[in-house]
Structures are given as C-alpha cells and as structure tokens.
Amino acid sequence: MSEDGVSNGRRWFLIGTTAAFGGVVGAGVAIPFAASWTPSAKARAAGAPVEVSLKKLEPGQLIRVKWRGQPVWILYRTDSALSTLDQVTDELRDPLSEKNQQPDYCRNEARALKDKYLVVLGKCTHLGCSPTYRPDAGAADLGADWLGGFYCPCHGSKFDLAGRVYKGVPAPTNLPIPPHKYLDDETLLIGVDTEAA
Ligand code: FES
C-alpha cells in the first residue's frame, strides 16, 4: 500500500482502465491508424474525457487518474468525513468556494455533485506539488485539531476533505475541481460538464 492508501495493484488497474478506454476510441480507426495519428489527433486524445468506474472504490479510498496530463483524485468520503466539513469553516480561506476554482455545480459545502465523491485536481495551488491524502485525524505532525484532508509537504499547505485551503498557508486558493458528470450512479466522466438542470 502507498501512503495515500491506494495499492500499486489498484493504481495499475486504474491506469489499465483508462488505457482500455483509449483503446476503444482507437479501435474504430485501426486501419488508417498510422496516417490518422497526426499531432492534432494526439492533441484531441490528450484532451479527451476520461471515463472512470467507481464500482470498486471503497469508503475512505482515494484513487488517481490522469486527465489532460494532470492528476485527478477521486475520494470516496464517508459520512464521518463529510461531517468534518462544517467543523473547519472558520479556519478556511474560502469556505464558500467564492473564488473560481470549481464549476458552478460544485459551489457547495461538499464541492461535489454527489457528496460522497470528491473529484479534484491533485495539484497544490501554491507551486504545483502533489499534496498527500491525510485522513488520519489528530496526526502528530499536523496537530491535534487536524480532522483529515490533504497536506502539501513542499511548503506546508493544508486543505480539508473538500480541497478547501486553510488560512495561513502558502497556497492561495482551494484545489481546482475539473468539469465532470456522472453517466450513472457509479460511472464518472471527467472533462465534460454536467448540464445545467
Ligand atoms: S507547492 Fe504546496 S505548499 Fe508549496
């Protein structure tokens, strides 16, 4: 198991899932593949939406996928994790997500379409390091009042379990949330906005 609780086997499963999705896209153009694989086709593939099955995601687990070359994290938040969100608001810089770091449909306390799933870019808004997932409330190195979240060891920025940045750290804004939608209860599509109701 890695420090973020995702086994290597699990991570490779996800990479495989993404690759398989790309494979489906490529299958239809197998014959003219060499000719059609132009830079513009590559660019389209690099920006293509990424479909992720959440069927095997377990409560408390965080998985990572790549979209447009960037790390996207999907965290299954338990009721207990969700209950921490309104306990930390006084300590946050932008608790209501007023800055433009998420689509409008995620401008809520959980910063999510479905409360239990956080979908967020895993890049610190200070200088772009990758924060670590730290669900361990009261961790010795983060303080007795730590309720779980993300910690960037580069310069000490902290984010809660909705990716909202704490006051007094170098990161200026909440972690960004990419456009996404659900194709069904357990299938997520990253890179395409949810249509307005
Ligand atoms: S890059 Fe995260 S705190 Fe500096």
Side-chain angles (χ1 to χ4, degrees):
M1 279 300 233
S2 68
E3 63 188 357
D4 59 23
V6 181
S7 68
N8 286 337
R10 176 76 184 156
R11 189 163 294 152
W12 282 111
F13 164 77
L14 287 163
I15 291 169
T17 302
T18 304
F21 180 70
V24 170
V25 172
V29 292
I31 293 169
F33 182 84
S36 68
W37 196 242
T38 60
S40 63
K42 278 185 185 172
R44 277 201 303 277
V50 175
E51 187 175 321
V52 184
S53 171
L54 305 177
K55 280 197 175 85
K56 294 186 179 172
L57 188 58
E58 293 171 8
Q61 188 179 20
L62 180 144
I63 56 173
R64 303 171 182 205
V65 298
K66 272 208 165 173
W67 170 68
R68 295 189 174 176
Q70 305 194 79
V72 177
W73 297 346
I74 303 147
L75 171 63
Y76 187 151
R77 295 178 293 195
T78 60
D79 288 345
S80 148
L82 288 166
S83 74
T84 66
L85 299 183
D86 65 3
Q87 296 177 48
V88 294
T89 49
D90 288 349
E91 300 166 54
L92 303 175
R93 189 168 277 155
D94 182 14
L96 301 178
S97 296
E98 289 172 305
K99 293 206 172 133
N100 199 22
Q101 289 293 94
Q102 61 285 304
D104 283 348
Y105 48 81
C106 289
R107 189 167 270 141
N108 50 52
E109 185 178 61
R111 302 187 76 220
L113 280 167
K114 292 178 186 282
D115 284 1
K116 71 180 178 180
Y117 296 128
L118 174 68
V119 180
V120 72
L121 280 190
K123 273 175 77 172
C124 182
T125 53
H126 180 220
L127 295 176
C129 288
S130 182
T132 52
Y133 172 42
R134 295 291 305 270
D136 40 341
D141 59 329
L142 296 175
D145 57 352
W146 177 251
L147 295 181
F150 305 97
Y151 174 66
C152 185
C154 295
H155 313 93
S157 290
K158 296 178 186 175
F159 305 85
D160 78 345
L161 285 166
R164 297 177 298 178
V165 69
Y166 277 80
K167 293 174 185 166
V169 302
T173 57
N174 297 340
L175 296 177
I177 291 182
H180 61 280
K181 67 191 284 188
Y182 288 89
L183 301 179
D184 59 42
D185 271 359
E186 295 178 308
T187 310
L188 176 66
L189 188 64
I190 299 167
V192 175
D193 276 312
T194 294
E195 297 84 10

